[in-house]
Amino acid sequence: VRPPPSEAQPRARLPLTLKVARYVALTPDEASVLADLQSATRSIRRNQEFLSEGQRLGDLFVIIEGVSIRYRILRDGRRQIVNVVLPGDIAGVPGCFFEGALFSTKALTDSTVARVSAARLVGLLETHPRLAAKIFFSFTCENEIYAQRLIAIGRQTALERTAHFLLELLNRLQVVGLADERSYRLPLTQELIADALGLSTPHVNGMLRQLRDDGLISIEQQRVTINDIEALSLLADFEGTYLGPFSMHDLADDGKSAGQ
Amino acid sequence: VRPPPSEAQPRARLPLTLKVARYVALTPDEASVLADLQSATRSIRRNQEFLSEGQRLGDLFVIIEGVSIRYRILRDGRRQIVNVVLPGDIAGVPGCFFEGALFSTKALTDSTVARVSAARLVGLLETHPRLAAKIFFSFTCENEIYAQRLIAIGRQTALERTAHFLLELLNRLQVVGLADERSYRLPLTQELIADALGLSTPHVNGMLRQLRDDGLISIEQQRVTINDIEALSLLADFEGTYLGPFSMHDLADDGKSAGQ
DNA sequence: CGTCGCTTTGATCATGATCAAGGGATGTGG
DNA sequence: CCACATCCCTTGATCATGATCAAAGCGACG
């Protein structure tokens, strides 16, 4: 009864074009420029830290495949994961514009990324300013993910937080076609979940177990299944509306008038 | 011994132009468009909630003067403040592009804001796309503030968090010229600080008292003074580098070449 | 003078951390 | 093919940080 390990891959290679396209409408021309940006891909091995705190780097990485974490380790060893980086996300922004990156980013699985030089992105300001604006705008959407997580970590109980985390990942993975209706593959250990949620590993273990005992979720191997999305959302006070796709489509349409 | 209440105002009315200018270089033309955007100001009374959760609103607000909070209240009454909104910040993004705002925003003090219709901002995509890109980019910078706060709330002790919070505000207020070298006026009650840090009011009280007893800070009336910035930064594991101004200046210069 | 909003303090309680150890699966070298 | 090692999950006992509840002080303001 060994499940095929390559379960998620056959799912047609996504026309990811950076997930920007999920957020805003692109002209064909823009789409092709975007595709071109991601042309040169590179492989990253599991556990490789490809962006390091303090590093002054002029590159960003569009994640084509694989899961990474963005984190920081405090002096005494405590670690906080500030983001789980999924395919379609961009790593290295705005670190590449600051003096040095503020966080490290490490691949959890073997990954494929497209390296884009910051200079080239900024060059878009000149050559395709509207595309540049759309890309930058798409970065803004991450704000809501962070804000939402701030609430979870700041004011929700361990159980609620855990539920929230699982739902957030479900939604984000669905956006890029890596999750089906109720389940997805989650390459995170409980220790990593703990560091993302500001909890201890044993306690995360207990919370997951409780969610399982209550029949809200199932976990086997690395596959998470949400059995009752509604109940879990209620528990977590979760609304998926903040995770794409949404309505800048209306506004930033092609050559049409912008004044509504 | 009543300190003049209008202490901070005489400090020349800032050429705030939205704080965008702190982050990126603007051409004179862009600067004037930006100034124009903020021309029509409006007053907001203390305690007025000018952006409400769930509200579908096509406007954003550039804060000219006053302090607001962006927050959400959970079903059982717990409140988390996700951001303290200072002059120069923009409220309502990207809420205005989502189905509905995800958080409420409320003025803590009487405020002056400039209302900008989202349509107008999007219109910039057509008329001044490079300016639009720069504005959107400036939104991205907030990500780092959120990420930093996630670390504080997720993995730092109450004392460290409190120290971090005070330092963050010092730095952010300095950027817009509302704090001097070591002190600033803070219109937040301890209850509000607690809701921003995910702590209880009595505990915030204790932490502030401890910081005071240790001689690291002083608080009188609403004025916070950091007596030993270095020591406090060490305690909080704080580095101010993530709060502008930083170096997209190099990249996005006027008509110059972008490829470095 | 009295109320209201905020700060301060203390006593008790609980959520979740820490520490420690065992268990199960997978992988690797002998 | 087995022994061992590694990584991760699981469990339990104890501890501590910070929450909750309650109440008193203290200005500012009307």
Side-chain angles (χ1 to χ4, degrees), chain B residues 172-184:
Chain B
R172 289 177 61 198
L173 286 167
Q174 281 176 344
V175 167
V176 291
L178 291 173
D180 58 34
E181 198 57 44
R182 311 163 38 234
S183 79
Y184 54 92

Side-chain angles (χ1 to χ4, degrees), chain A residues 98-102, chain B residues 144 148 171 238-246:
Chain A
F98 280 90
E99 285 313 311
L102 298 164
Chain B
E144 301 312 286
Q148 212 68 45
N171 277 268
F238 180 87
E239 294 173 69
T241 62
Y242 72 94
L243 301 159
F246 63 109

Side-chain angles (χ1 to χ4, degrees), chain B residues 42-67:
Chain B
R42 176 188 152 189
S43 286
I44 291 186
R45 192 153 308 285
R46 185 172 129 83
N47 285 332
Q48 186 181 341
E49 183 180 291
F50 58 99
L51 287 170
S52 299
E53 187 182 338
Q55 186 184 18
R56 178 79 169 99
L57 183 62
D59 292 325
L60 5 141
F61 298 89
V62 182
I63 310 298
I64 308 293
E65 195 179 346
V67 175

Side-chain angles (χ1 to χ4, degrees), chain A residues 14-41 60-64 88-90 114-117 120-121 124 127-128 130-139:
Chain A
L14 333 151
L16 260 190
T17 33
L18 221 156
K19 202 170 72 170
V20 171
R22 285 272 167 182
Y23 290 133
V24 296
L26 297 177
T27 67
D29 178 46
E30 288 171 348
S32 86
V33 172
L34 204 47
D36 187 49
L37 270 188
Q38 320 172 54
S39 52
T41 67
L60 11 137
F61 297 90
V62 182
I63 310 298
I64 308 293
D89 288 340
I90 297 180
R115 177 181 232 149
V116 177
S117 76
R120 197 150 164 224
L121 180 59
L124 288 183
T127 59
H128 299 264
R130 293 181 50 228
L131 175 60
K134 290 174 182 178
I135 293 175
F136 286 141
F137 176 77
S138 79
F139 295 159

Side-chain angles (χ1 to χ4, degrees), chain B residues 69-257:
Chain B
I69 51 170
R70 184 157 171 254
Y71 65 95
R72 183 160 164 224
I73 296 181
L74 301 179
R75 274 194 307 281
D76 61 359
R78 285 171 293 180
R79 174 174 66 178
Q80 175 71 37
I81 294 172
V82 297
N83 198 15
V84 177
V85 185
L86 303 178
D89 289 340
I90 297 181
V93 181
C96 65
F97 299 118
F98 280 89
E99 285 311 311
L102 298 164
F103 302 95
S104 303
T105 306
K106 180 164 97 172
L108 294 180
T109 64
D110 290 342
S111 300
T112 308
V113 303
R115 177 181 230 150
V116 177
S117 76
R120 197 150 167 222
L121 180 59
V122 171
L124 288 183
L125 278 176
E126 305 296 330
T127 59
H128 299 263
R130 293 182 50 231
L131 175 60
K134 290 173 183 178
I135 293 175
F136 286 141
F137 175 77
S138 79
F139 295 160
T140 306
C141 304
E142 264 181 45
N143 279 8
E144 301 312 286
I145 296 177
Y146 284 89
Q148 212 68 45
R149 196 151 30 212
L150 266 176
I151 291 178
I153 294 183
R155 282 292 183 224
Q156 293 193 281
T157 65
L159 191 68
E160 293 165 337
R161 257 184 256 191
T162 307
H164 189 282
F165 183 75
L166 295 176
L167 285 166
E168 181 198 314
L169 282 176
L170 174 67
N171 277 268
R172 289 177 61 198
L173 286 167
Q174 281 176 344
V175 167
V176 291
L178 291 173
D180 58 34
E181 198 57 44
R182 311 163 38 234
S183 79
Y184 54 92
R185 212 182 129 269
L186 177 69
L188 293 179
T189 64
Q190 294 183 353
E191 185 184 5
L192 289 164
I193 297 174
D195 282 342
L197 296 178
L199 298 170
S200 65
T201 311
H203 207 233
V204 165
N205 185 290
M207 297 302 101
L208 288 175
R209 122 98 48 177
Q210 186 173 338
L211 291 175
R212 251 181 300 155
D213 288 351
D214 293 351
L216 294 170
I217 66 169
S218 316
I219 301 180
E220 41 205 9
Q221 304 290 91
Q222 293 197 307
R223 186 140 207 109
V224 177
T225 303
I226 316 286
N227 296 320
D228 188 338
I229 294 182
E230 198 161 334
L232 198 65
S233 299
L234 192 67
L235 168 64
D237 211 323
F238 180 87
E239 294 173 69
T241 62
Y242 72 94
L243 301 159
F246 63 109
S247 60
M248 198 173 170
H249 292 88
D250 319 336
L251 303 164
D253 221 306
D254 198 348
K256 310 290 293 301
S257 71

Side-chain angles (χ1 to χ4, degrees), chain A residues 40 55 162-163 235:
Chain A
Q55 187 185 17
T162 308
L235 168 63

